[in-house]
Structure formats: C-alpha cells, structure tokens
C-alpha cells in the first residue's frame, strides 16, 4: 500500500481543499476498490474567493500625435515598429540667415543694418519621415488579412478591436496551448489579452527580444507568432520547444509557469500536445524543480475527495496526479482538473497545477507512477537541455 499525502489545491470557484504538507496515514484494512489515499485538510487549500492574478494591464496605443508616422526597425529583432512622431518647430538658427537694411525715418544718422534670425513660425516645419519596407506576412494562418497587414505595418489591436485577423491570431494561440476560454471569436477581451501576454512571455524567452508582455497585438508579437505557430489545422508549435530533459534526466512533462503551459512528451521525447494550465499565486507559488508522479487518482477517488472536503464532487475535476520531489519528499503539489476553466492561464492556485478536465484525462492516461515532471519558470531554465549520461 502506498502512503501518500495530498493536496494543497482547490479550484477557486469553488475552492479546493487540502494540502499534502500534512501527513495522511494509510488506512488499515482498506476494502478493494476503496480510494488509495486519505486526505487531510490544511492551510494549503484554496478559498472560494481566490481570484486570478494577472500581470501588467493591457496597453492601448497613444493618441494626440499630429504628424507623420516614422517606421523604424526595432533593435534586436526582425520586425517593424511604427511610432507617432509629433512635429516639433525648429529652434532659432544659431547663425543669421536674413539681413534687412532700412533707413531710420526722420533720423540724421546713416541707415543701419538690422540682422534677425529666421524663427520657426515664419516657415512651415519640415516633415520627418523614414520610409521602411514592410515584410509581407507569409504564414498561411495570417496571409490575406488586411487587418493583420495593418498590424505588420505598425497598427496595434487592443481593447475594442475585432475582426477576422484577430480571430486567426486567437486560433493560433489556442492551437499552441494558450488558454483562451472565450475561444476564437474575433473579439479582443480579457481572455485574449491574457493569452497574448502569456505568448509574449514565451516569445521573449525563446529569442524574440523585441516582444513585450503588453497583452496587445503589435507587429513584433505578430512576427513572433508567424515564426512559432503551427500550420493551419495543426496543434503544437513550429519550433522553440523545451527539451524533454531536465538536469540530464528524461522527463515526460515540462510545466512552464510564467507562460502557463504544460508540454507532454511521449517516452521517446516527442511532443504529444501542449495544454493550458493555471498555477500558484505569488503568495502560494508552484515551486520549480524536478518532481515525479507519486500516485494517480481515478474519477471516483477524485470526486470522493472533493465531496468529503468541500461538499463538491467536481472541485478537483476529473482526475488527479499526486507529485513528490524526485528524492521522494512530498511536494504538496498535484496535477488535476478544475471546476473553473475560465481561470486557466492565470496565477490562481495554492501551488497545484490545474488543467481543463479533457486535458487532465490525457495526462492521467499518458503518465505512470514514477514518471518525471519538470517545473520551470520559463524555457530559459538552465536545467533544461540535451541528454547526458546518468549513472
């Protein structure tokens, strides 16, 4: 019989209840078919009033520019940015530029010379324009969209935006495993802002330094999407995937906390799929490091835990996988489903990693007790890398 302790994780709507930091003894004389583990409530449980914590708020393009647009290549990237350049009056010229000579009326002395600088107001200020060719979009998901062509030229899609181009971007984000609860509806809202921000965090970590985690769709973000999005009709990512090795040891799952995605690999290290997740808050974080699957709970055991602890059979979703550190110590964290899928993509839990119920079913069926799980902040984690010989 396995002595394992669960959970410090609930859903925030409703809350999830308990924490594996407290020991849970093996139940003697367990009848066949009874749940494998006992559950002990503790301080790790989430409360019903937990809320999603987002990063920076979405930015909106500035207004009030009364001049031409200046297009310039963004340093360190292959994208074009457009800036509003206010017309600035020229300052007075340092040298005299016009001489006016006139006699002084009614004066006996000879006429004298008056020298005055040319003020900017006397002549129209020149227009400053830097012309730069805009590279056309090439990805099949995005070509043919006038809306996205405008973005590539420097426009920004943010709050209030809608259109087929935005719908194509949303579809790409969904197929890459970013949470977008509202689906690809062609309307920019909070879910789209969160998905874009999570993608921008990912893009910055995989060599797109011109991308900023703003939550709006700009030219740099669109170019990164072109490079990383899978072909139409496909899921996954074209390149810049994490290595299925952590500290030289093969892993079946890589969880990227800051971009809120879970990468599932097969035993040979090939990507199976990418799923959105929700992770711990700043006050109750999910800890990075190498972990293993310690125990697996089926639907009955998972629902019984929810009913016993929170009077809600669905609070932990459809499945649960208990995790420990690779050295065998309890981690107090689990992979499980959720009764609040709208909160995926955010920092909302008390340390556990939530997934949509359909996704936790795939993870539960694919993983075995003893499989390794790598938890990293970003894909820049130095422990991720190529395989090495392990004694």
């Amino acid at each position: 019989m396995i002595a394992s302790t669960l959970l410090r994780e609930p859903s925030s709507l409703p809350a999830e209840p308990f924490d594996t930091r407290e020991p849970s003894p093996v139940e003697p004389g367990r009848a066949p078919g009874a749940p494998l583990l006992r559950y002990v409530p503790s301080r790790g449980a989430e409360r019903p009033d937990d809320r999603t914590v987002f990063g920076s708020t979405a930015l909106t393009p500035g207004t009030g520019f009364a001049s031409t647009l200046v297009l310039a290549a963004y340093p360190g990237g292959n994208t074009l940015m457009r800036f509003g350049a206010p017309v600035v009056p020229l300052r007075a010229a340092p040298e005299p530029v016009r001489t006016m000579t006139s006699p002084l009326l009614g004066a006996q002395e000879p006429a004298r010379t008056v020298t005055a600088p040319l003020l900017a107001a006397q002549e129209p200020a020149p227009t400053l324009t830097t012309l730069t060719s805009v590279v056309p979009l090439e990805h099949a998901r995005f070509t043919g969209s006038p809306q996205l062509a405008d973005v590539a030229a420097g426009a920004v899609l943010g709050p209030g935006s809608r259109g087929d181009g935005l719908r194509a971007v949303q579809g790409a984000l969904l197929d890459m495993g970013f949470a977008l609860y509202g689906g690809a509806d062609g309307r920019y809202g909070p879910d789209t802002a969160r998905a874009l921000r999570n993608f921008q965090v990912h893009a910055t970590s995989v060599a797109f330094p011109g991308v900023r985690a703003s939550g709006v769709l700009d030219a740099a973000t669109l170019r990164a999407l072109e490079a990383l999005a899978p072909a139409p009709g496909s899921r996954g990512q074209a390149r810049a995937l994490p290595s299925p090795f952590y500290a030289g040891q093969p892993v079946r799952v890589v969880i990227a906390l800051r971009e809120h995605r879970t990468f599932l690999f097969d035993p040979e290290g090939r990507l199976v799929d990418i799923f959105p997740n929700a992770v711990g808050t700043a006050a109750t974080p999910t800890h990075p490091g190498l972990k293993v699957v310690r125990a697996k709970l089926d639907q009955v055991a998972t629902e019984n835990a929810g009913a016993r602890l929170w009077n809600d059979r669905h609070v932990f979703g459809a499945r649960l996988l208990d995790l420990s550190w690779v050295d065998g110590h309890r981690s107090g964290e689990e992979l499980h489903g959720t009764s609040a899928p709208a909160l995926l993509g955010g920092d909302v839990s008390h340390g556990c990693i939530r997934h949509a119920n359909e996704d936790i079913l795939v993870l539960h069926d694919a993983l075995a007790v003893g499989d390794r799980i790598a938890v990293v902040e970003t894909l820049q984690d130095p422990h991720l890398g190529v395989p090495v010989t392990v004694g």
Side-chain angles (χ1 to χ4, degrees), residues 166-167 170-171 174 179-187 191-192:
L166 186 58
R167 182 179 290 106
Q170 291 170 329
L174 284 168
L180 218 169
Y181 184 68
D185 60 3
R187 299 183 180 187
D191 290 338
T192 300

Side-chain angles (χ1 to χ4, degrees), residues 92-235:
E95 299 294 334
V97 295
R98 181 179 297 169
T99 301
M100 296 180 294
T101 304
S102 61
L104 298 179
L105 298 178
Q108 300 301 315
E109 61 267 21
R112 59 184 180 182
T113 299
V114 178
T115 302
L118 175 64
L119 299 180
Q122 293 175 294
E123 294 182 5
T127 298
L128 303 177
T129 305
T130 301
L131 297 179
T132 313
S133 61
V134 177
V135 179
L137 298 172
E138 298 180 352
H139 199 294
R141 287 179 179 266
F142 309 131
T143 55
S145 168
Q147 186 179 44
L148 295 183
D150 288 344
V151 173
V156 174
L157 299 184
S161 299
R162 61 178 64 190
D164 290 340
L166 186 58
R167 182 179 290 106
V169 167
Q170 291 170 329
L173 292 171
L174 284 168
D175 286 338
M176 295 176 72
F178 292 97
L180 218 169
Y181 184 68
D185 60 3
R187 299 183 180 187
Y188 182 100
D191 290 338
T192 300
R194 179 169 55 188
L196 280 169
R197 190 178 299 111
N198 286 334
F199 169 76
Q200 289 162 337
V201 169
H202 167 71
T204 302
S205 75
V206 294
F208 290 89
V211 175
R212 297 291 179 266
S214 62
V216 298
L217 181 64
D218 55 15
T221 302
L222 182 58
R223 293 301 182 185
L225 270 170
E226 268 215 301
L228 299 176
S234 300
R235 284 186 56 80

Side-chain angles (χ1 to χ4, degrees), residues 252-325:
R252 293 293 310 280
V253 170
V254 174
I255 294 169
L257 298 175
R258 289 182 56 193
E259 62 189 64
H260 300 94
R261 288 198 297 172
T262 296
F263 299 80
L264 173 65
F265 298 91
D266 68 15
E268 286 71 44
R270 295 184 293 261
L271 181 69
V272 175
D273 209 340
I274 312 174
F275 308 115
N277 65 41
V279 298
T281 66
T284 56
T286 305
H287 300 292
L290 185 60
K291 302 167 188 181
V292 297
V293 177
R294 180 171 179 168
K296 299 169 58 177
L297 276 68
D298 62 15
Q299 183 168 357
V300 173
T302 301
E303 290 182 354
N304 286 343
R308 180 165 58 253
L309 295 166
W310 289 93
N311 197 31
D312 183 351
R313 301 186 66 85
H314 306 292
V315 68
F316 297 120
R319 296 288 190 277
L320 185 146
L321 294 92
D322 184 26
L323 303 182
S324 69
W325 292 103

Side-chain angles (χ1 to χ4, degrees), residues 2-19:
I2 299 175
S4 173
T5 53
L6 295 180
L7 286 144
R8 57 186 185 114
E9 168 69 6
S11 164
S12 62
L13 294 178
E16 298 175 9
F18 52 98
D19 191 333

